[in-house]
């Protein structure tokens, strides 16, 4: 028995991937299939699932509405499309802002003396040791009416004798964006740093020899060579932001309904698992489409593995 | 050189990790945290003939004797209760007196509890469902009938809280705590105090309110202002409520069902719709915070104890119910969770032994509302097939379309 195992290479390979395989099939493929089946079902009056084949849930997401205000049998209600669009916009804005903030920092770390790099990277990572939700609560303390920022501004205004009205920062869309950017910044810094750090310094010498000024060197050498990091970071940021709702709940005062909120409410408050399943699958497909076109254009970003 | 700096780095890392773990913020009671009370079970429980042993909790509370003491063979009791909703002394006393280990899971909404139990595979002995979800759980066979011959505290319960429509003969549930959802405002900052639900539409309150993130309560009170039933299933009435509610949204600063008092106390908002306990606690921090029972009638609710079908330790569950519902145990609820207390024995015990806790309770209209509040109040019931419409309206209204 052991002897056959020793000689049978394919079997060895199979045994090695077996745990992962069981894990993926049991916890990813089967649940996904169940979600698919449920998404074609209907909600029973007490909140159970009636298994049929109906496209009603998907049509409802696309704006097909049966409870029309004007009394018609069917009308168009863009509610859920707007929620999807809002989630995409927020994810896009977050990603762009994160790139703008992360790139210079990653560049600075990559160019820092070697003995400092680890320490600097470490400082990027340390905040992540604290629980995600607790860090969001910290932002609430900072942004609220009697929070750190307003207290500091108020003190300065008082010293200068200027009348001061506390700024309304918490429970606004701006607060949600700040929280999102803060939470996902490290996921962009690390892959960009990895690709920047790998750039051979002789490239810069070559660029200088050929008469390129620093700005041109950056555009023609540094930026293209670090693109894999940016791509990887974008995927690591964009995809989770699409489904996140804790940040918008806490910092936005639950005023901003995102697709994550929508799905969560279907499984709890509305007890409408079929509609929630359909919404989850639409979110997944949408994310896949966006990622697909993005990677087709920019490549897959090998740094996603390095990160 | 490199190796040395690396080891230095690891050393630093360890030091930092220790420092962080020592002083870092600890999530003390997050939702669904499974905390366990160690069984400080005495070695010899079999000495009932001698003078009963005295048990004292870590907070110095002397555990009363169970009256009567039930036969318990189970070694464990699995509680599934609301976040921060039972006094810690109960758990310590119960495990010491009965030698039973308590496993304690928490939830923060009825829907969360319902979803978990509905999926099956749980082994809870006691849950705390609120009225509207009780009828649904009974209908679905998720609760077991109570054996009233084992419930010795029933005569302690005040009649207004018994035989509620959701469980007419208390066959499945016993009352735990009751409360209201009503209007709260800060008298220091609000010029025109609201008197009824319809007053909330006052433009003076723009951007100054905290609302429960609860579709049934907020749509329900909107229905009341239109003269409709809080539990209507009529799509036309609901459409009208939606249009009316849309006009109210500019007044809302945030939705929060976890801790609406925080925003009130911090001064981020000046008014809101909240429940008994939150209003009471907010008032203790800021005395100007006032609770108003709206003229159209407040929303009434009641939390209950129930034993799920297939509970593995029903004997321990009955012992827990009898022990904690004793007056000399249940009065702790007055101290820790200022809601409407349905336990007569607890109120009498507190009056005689802890007037400092009893007086504020009985004198506050928040915890001891006038009788007409109950007469005029409205109860939320399950709306069956109309629930997704409520949710869609809620989503639409919040999305600010």
């Amino acid at each position: 028995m052991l002897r056959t195992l020793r000689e049978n290479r394919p079997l060895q390979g199979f045994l090695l991937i077996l745990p992962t395989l069981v894990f993926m099939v049991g916890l990813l493929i089967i649940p996904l299939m169940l979600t698919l089946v449920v998404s074609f079902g209907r909600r029973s009056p007490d909140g159970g699932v009636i298994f049929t084949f109906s496209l009603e849930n998907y049509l409802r997401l696309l704006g097909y509405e049966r409870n029309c205000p004007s009394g018609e049998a069917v009308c168009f209600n863009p509610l859920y499309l707007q929620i999807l669009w809002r989630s995409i916009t927020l994810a896009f804005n977050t990603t762009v802002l994160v790139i703008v903030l992360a790139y210079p920092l990653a560049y600075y770390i990559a160019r820092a003396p070697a003995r400092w790099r680890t320490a600097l990277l470490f400082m990027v990572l340390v905040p992540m040791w604290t629980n995600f939700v607790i860090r969001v609560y910290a932002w609430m303390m900072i942004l609220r009416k009697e929070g750190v920022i307003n207290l500091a501004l108020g003190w300065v205004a008082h010293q200068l004798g200027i009348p001061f009205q506390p700024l309304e920062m918490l429970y606004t869309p701006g607060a949600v964006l700040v929280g999102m950017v803060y939470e996902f910044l490290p996921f962009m810094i690390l892959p960009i740093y990895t690709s920047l750090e790998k750039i051979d310094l002789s490239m810069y010498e070559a660029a200088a020899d050929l008469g390129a000024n620093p700005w041109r060197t950056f555009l023609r050498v540094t930026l293209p060579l670090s693109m894999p990091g940016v791509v990887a970071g974008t995927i690591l940021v964009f995809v989770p932001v699409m489904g996140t709702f804790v940040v918008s709940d806490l910092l936005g005062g639950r005023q901003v309904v995102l697709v994550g909120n929508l799905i969560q409410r279907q499984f709890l408050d509305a007890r409408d698992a079929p509609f929630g399943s359909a919404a989850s699958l639409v979110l997944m497909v949408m994310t896949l489409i966006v990622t697909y076109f993005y990677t087709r254009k920019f490549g897959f970003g090998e740094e996603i593995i390095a990160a | 050189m490199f190796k040395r700096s690396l080891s230095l780095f690891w050393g630093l890392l360890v030091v930092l990790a220790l420092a962080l773990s020592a002083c870092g913020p600890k999530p003390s009671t997050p939702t669904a945290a499974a905390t366990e009370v160690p069984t400080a079970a005495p070695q010899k429980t079999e000495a009932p003939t001698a003078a009963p042993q005295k048990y004292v909790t870590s907070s110095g509370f002397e555990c009363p004797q169970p009256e009567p003491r039930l036969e318990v063979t189970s070694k464990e009791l699995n509680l599934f209760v609301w976040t921060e909703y039972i006094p810690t002394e109960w758990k310590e006393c119960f495990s010491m007196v009965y030698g039973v280990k308590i496993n304690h899971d928490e939830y923060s909404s009825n829907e969360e509890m319902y979803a978990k139990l509905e999926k099956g595979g749980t082994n809870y002995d006691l849950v705390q469902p609120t009225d509207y979800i009780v009828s649904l759980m009974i209908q679905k066979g998720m609760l077991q009938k109570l054996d009233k011959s084992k419930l010795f505290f029933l005569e302690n319960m005040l009649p207004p809280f018994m035989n509620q429509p959701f469980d007419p003969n208390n066959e499945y549930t016993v009352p735990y705590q009751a409360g209201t959802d009503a209007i709260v405002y800060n008298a220091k900052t609000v010029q025109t105090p609201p008197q009824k639900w319809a007053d909330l539409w006052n433009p003076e309150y723009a951007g100054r309110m905290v609302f429960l993130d609860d579709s049934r309560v907020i749509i329900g009170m909107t229905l009341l202002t239109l003269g409709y039933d809080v539990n209507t299933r009529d799509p036309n009435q609901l459409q009208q409520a939606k249009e009316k509610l849309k006009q109210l949204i500019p007044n809302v600063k945030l939705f929060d069902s976890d801790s609406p008092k925080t925003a009130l106390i911090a001064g981020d908002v000046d008014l809101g719709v909240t429940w008994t306990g939150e209003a009471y606690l907010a008032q203790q921090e800021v005395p100007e915070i006032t609770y108003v029972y709206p003229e159209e009638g407040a929303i009434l609710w009641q939390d209950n104890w129930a034993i799920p079908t297939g509970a593995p330790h029903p004997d321990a569950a009955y012992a827990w119910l009898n022990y904690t519902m004793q007056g000399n145990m249940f009065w702790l609820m007055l101290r820790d969770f200022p809601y409407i207390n349905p336990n007569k024995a607890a109120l009498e015990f507190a009056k005689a032994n802890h007037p400092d806790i009893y007086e504020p309770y009985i004198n506050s209209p928040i915890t001891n509302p006038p009788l007409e509040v109950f007469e005029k109040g409205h109860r939320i019931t399950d709306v069956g097939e109309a629930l997704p419409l409520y949710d869609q309206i809620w989503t639409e209204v919040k999305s600010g379309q």
Side-chain angles (χ1 to χ4, degrees), chain B residues 40-56 61-66 69 93 95-99 323:
Chain B
Q43 285 78 8
K44 40 182 201 302
T45 19
E46 303 304 315
T49 43
Q53 201 178 331
K54 280 234 192 305
Y55 299 109
V56 180
F61 176 76
E62 199 174 299
C63 300
Q65 287 302 313
R69 190 191 172 94
C93 285
S95 19
M96 287 193 282
V97 167
Y98 276 103
Y323 188 38

Side-chain angles (χ1 to χ4, degrees), chain A residues 15-279:
Chain A
L15 283 178
L16 277 173
I17 63 158
L18 190 63
T20 319
L21 198 67
V22 169
F23 192 83
M24 293 299 267
V25 170
L27 297 178
L28 186 73
I29 313 251
I30 294 178
L32 259 181
M33 288 298 148
L34 288 175
T35 312
L36 187 69
V37 170
V38 172
S39 76
F40 291 118
R42 277 207 333 264
R43 179 191 193 269
S44 69
D46 60 7
V49 182
I50 302 170
F51 291 97
T52 67
F53 186 82
S54 144
L55 290 174
E56 187 99 348
N57 296 313
Y58 292 96
L59 291 172
R60 194 175 149 199
L61 277 169
L62 295 174
Y64 179 86
E65 164 82 73
R66 279 184 182 285
N67 296 294
C68 301
S70 47
E72 298 135 18
V74 173
C75 53
F76 178 68
N77 182 350
L79 171 64
Y80 299 114
L81 289 177
Q82 283 171 346
I83 291 174
L84 286 170
W85 178 245
R86 186 180 302 136
S87 301
I88 293 186
T89 323
L90 179 66
F92 181 80
N93 291 343
T94 306
T95 313
V96 170
L97 259 176
V98 164
I99 293 176
V100 169
L101 289 174
Y103 202 98
L105 188 60
Y107 190 89
Y108 176 78
I109 298 177
R111 293 287 163 270
R115 62 206 159 90
W116 281 109
R117 273 180 226 160
T118 330
L120 289 170
L121 276 181
F122 180 68
M123 278 159 69
V124 170
L125 288 175
V126 164
M128 303 242 284
W129 293 0
T130 314
N131 181 290
F132 178 81
V133 180
I134 289 172
R135 281 178 289 147
V136 179
Y137 270 98
W139 272 106
M140 293 175 75
M141 305 285 184
I142 295 171
L143 295 175
R144 72 174 1 135
K145 224 180 201 168
E146 292 168 19
V148 179
I149 293 180
N150 272 325
L151 283 181
L153 288 177
W155 184 81
V156 171
H158 182 74
Q159 297 298 316
L160 299 174
I162 310 167
F164 177 70
Q165 194 68 30
L167 301 175
E168 298 275 353
M169 289 175 289
L170 190 58
Y171 311 128
T172 59
V176 177
L177 194 60
V178 167
M180 289 281 198
V181 168
Y182 170 78
E183 290 291 349
F184 288 97
L185 198 57
F187 294 97
M188 189 62 84
I189 295 177
L190 292 182
I192 295 183
Y193 163 81
T194 316
S195 55
L196 281 173
E197 200 238 19
K198 276 201 313 208
I199 298 176
D200 193 336
L201 289 178
S202 57
M203 297 277 189
Y204 296 111
E205 289 163 15
D209 280 349
L210 295 170
N213 61 20
W215 177 239
R216 211 174 152 80
T217 310
F218 177 77
L219 280 185
R220 300 296 294 274
V221 179
T222 318
L223 197 59
L225 285 172
S226 62
M227 265 323 270
V230 178
V231 173
T234 303
I235 295 170
L236 289 177
V237 172
F238 187 86
V239 175
V241 170
M242 278 291 284
T244 306
F245 56 88
V246 181
V247 178
S248 71
D249 272 4
L250 292 175
L251 296 179
R254 297 203 183 192
Q255 297 253 39
V256 188
V257 182
L258 298 175
V259 63
N261 302 86
L262 176 70
I263 295 170
Q264 183 221 23
R265 289 194 65 86
Q266 297 316 309
F267 286 99
L268 295 175
D269 298 72
R271 293 201 298 278
D272 193 347
F275 187 56
S277 302

Side-chain angles (χ1 to χ4, degrees), chain B residues 38-113:
Chain B
T39 36
Q43 285 78 8
K44 40 182 201 302
T45 19
E46 303 304 315
T49 43
Q53 201 178 331
K54 280 234 192 305
Y55 299 109
V56 180
T57 68
S58 51
S59 63
F61 176 76
E62 199 174 299
C63 300
Q65 287 302 313
E67 297 153 5
R69 190 191 172 94
L70 299 194
E71 184 88 34
V72 174
T73 50
S74 297
K75 291 282 160 243
E76 280 183 69
L77 176 67
N78 303 327
L79 297 179
F80 194 30
V81 292
W82 286 88
T83 319
E84 291 184 55
Y85 207 28
I86 54 173
T88 47
E89 284 90 348
W90 286 6
K91 291 197 287 181
E92 281 191 59
C93 285
F94 186 75
S95 19
M96 287 193 282
V97 167
Y98 276 103
V100 166
K101 180 182 162 200
I102 293 180
N103 304 307
H104 174 189
D105 280 359
E106 292 180 336
Y107 55 87
S108 56
S109 77
N110 280 305
E111 285 70 24
E112 189 185 328
M113 179 270 298

Side-chain angles (χ1 to χ4, degrees), chain B residues 138-211:
Chain B
I138 295 175
Q139 188 189 320
K140 284 241 177 173
M142 289 158 75
L143 301 179
Q144 56 176 276
K145 276 198 178 175
L146 297 175
D147 182 350
K148 286 192 190 169
S149 68
K150 290 186 196 156
L151 298 175
F152 300 94
F153 58 87
L154 283 178
E155 73 269 22
N156 291 352
M157 308 315 291
L158 291 164
F161 304 95
M162 298 293 282
N163 305 319
Q164 294 288 340
F166 56 84
D167 184 16
N169 293 311
N170 284 92
E171 286 184 89
Y172 296 89
T173 61
V174 288
Y176 183 58
Q177 289 259 80
T180 53
D181 295 326
I183 301 172
V184 66
Y185 71 93
N186 188 333
K188 202 163 50 179
T189 48
V190 174
Q191 254 96 50
T192 332
Q195 298 297 326
K196 47 184 192 286
W197 292 118
D199 290 344
L200 295 179
W201 274 258
N202 188 340
E204 188 186 315
Y205 307 152
R208 296 170 72 188
M209 300 203 290
V210 53
F211 267 25

